[in-house]
Amino acid sequence: MGGQVSKQVQRRKAIKTEKKTLWDLQKSSGTNFPGSDYRPADRKNWMWGLNPDKIHLNQLVWPGTHDSATNKIGVPCVTRPFAQCQSLSIYNQLVRGTRVLDIRVKKDRHVCHGPLSTYSIDVVIKDIKKFVSETEAEIIILEVRTEYGHEDPPEFEKYLLDQLGDLLIHQDDHVLGKTIAELLPKRIICVWKPRKAPQPKAGGALWSAGYLKDNWIDTDLPSTKFDSNLKHLSEQPALSSRKFFYRVENTVTPQPDNPVVCVKPVTRRIHGFARLFISKCVAQGCVDKLQILSTDFIDEDFVDACVGVTYARIEGKA
């Protein structure tokens, strides 16, 4: 018992130290970067506002959400705090400016996060279609994967094709070098990651797992995650030659051996440091490799930071 208490004391000290490390870094380094003062006039249509004829996909910094469809997961005030990573619906996330969605499913086609489940994937698709119908040039990356510990939904590739059909941007190694205007009226890059079912075929309407990569680490320590994100990003190929999407997750993960296991108080340890991360990317010379930046509980400032870097790239400032 005494050993366990001592371990928890050390854990709390480590978390406190790491939070202070990031606050001190932000105080000394600041959060300015090329485009940091840019604010899109309309977040719902921010790609349109930057001119679809001018923006190449490899210039975008895509704002993404982690475990996107968890706003109604579990039982409110009972199990929900342990799995909820977003408070907004998929539609409202897209309106806010999100352009990369992370959807986890299980055998019955319901969205889940670990053992907890929520509404059907149909709800996600309906929200996406509604948003697409209301906008003209917003491109969405939709990642759908079978959650760890669950079985693939039967005939799910066919389901995605039937539901999204004409909206899908087919897999093509040259897509990242194209402008948004060249891809329209197609609107969705759909990455399907089954656990055991066959991966989507090259050149097809769906993209396979290798086209959306990250280097996620399982930690609740904010500075550790921050430094890991910088390290792995710096090791990626340049955007000009990259044939896949690379995601950095500005999140930390509750740990079972820690008293605090609810998502929101844990992820807050890093949530407010997205602009600091971008500024450090600039300082370390790897901002030109930043492509997808995702977060829990997405807010307007996070979206503005990503769009700001995109704007600076278009203007030749980043």
Side-chain angles (χ1 to χ4, degrees), residues 143 193 209-215 236 244-248 292:
E143 178 197 30
K193 298 182 177 182
Y211 287 101
L212 177 51
K213 302 180 182 182
D214 56 43
N215 289 103
Q236 299 308 308
F244 58 89
F245 294 95
Y246 184 77
R247 172 173 52 205
V248 173
I292 298 172

Side-chain angles (χ1 to χ4, degrees), residues 130-261:
K130 179 182 179 183
F131 175 78
V132 167
S133 72
E134 295 173 353
T135 55
E136 296 184 33
E138 305 306 301
I139 304 295
I140 300 166
I141 299 176
L142 170 63
E143 178 197 30
V144 188
R145 66 174 113 166
T146 303
E147 177 68 307
Y148 179 79
H150 290 277
E151 296 181 36
D152 297 321
E155 300 184 354
F156 197 67
E157 182 168 339
K158 181 179 184 300
Y159 168 83
L160 290 172
L161 294 174
D162 289 345
Q163 292 294 317
L164 298 173
D166 294 340
L167 295 172
L168 293 170
I169 298 168
H170 287 220
Q171 188 279 315
D172 177 351
D173 286 348
H174 301 292
V175 161
L176 286 168
K178 294 182 178 181
T179 64
I180 289 176
E182 289 177 296
L183 298 174
L184 298 175
K186 309 291 187 180
R187 302 284 295 279
I188 300 170
I189 294 171
C190 184
V191 182
W192 165 226
K193 298 182 177 182
R195 297 197 67 80
K196 294 182 179 179
Q199 290 282 329
K201 295 179 181 178
L206 303 180
W207 298 55
S208 60
Y211 287 101
L212 177 51
K213 302 180 182 182
D214 56 43
N215 289 103
W216 179 80
I217 63 169
D218 188 11
T219 182
D220 63 352
L221 298 174
S223 182
T224 296
K225 183 65 176 288
F226 188 97
D227 292 343
S228 174
N229 283 343
L230 276 173
K231 173 182 179 295
H232 288 298
L233 179 63
S234 69
E235 296 167 351
Q236 299 308 308
L239 282 169
S240 58
S241 61
R242 194 183 299 168
K243 304 299 183 183
F244 58 89
F245 294 95
Y246 184 77
R247 172 173 52 205
V248 173
E249 292 191 334
N250 189 59
T251 63
V252 287
T253 308
Q255 300 299 303
D257 65 345
N258 193 286
V260 183
V261 291

Side-chain angles (χ1 to χ4, degrees), residues 258-276:
N258 193 286
V260 183
V261 291
C262 296
V263 173
K264 184 168 280 188
V266 173
T267 203
R268 276 179 180 164
R269 297 169 189 166
I270 198 170
H271 186 270
F273 295 106
R275 286 182 176 270
L276 174 64

Side-chain angles (χ1 to χ4, degrees), residues 68-89:
S68 305
T70 54
N71 57 306
K72 293 186 177 180
I73 200 162
V75 180
C77 302
V78 180
T79 57
R80 185 170 297 172
F82 302 108
Q84 184 185 39
C85 299
Q86 306 297 329
S87 56
L88 300 176
S89 68

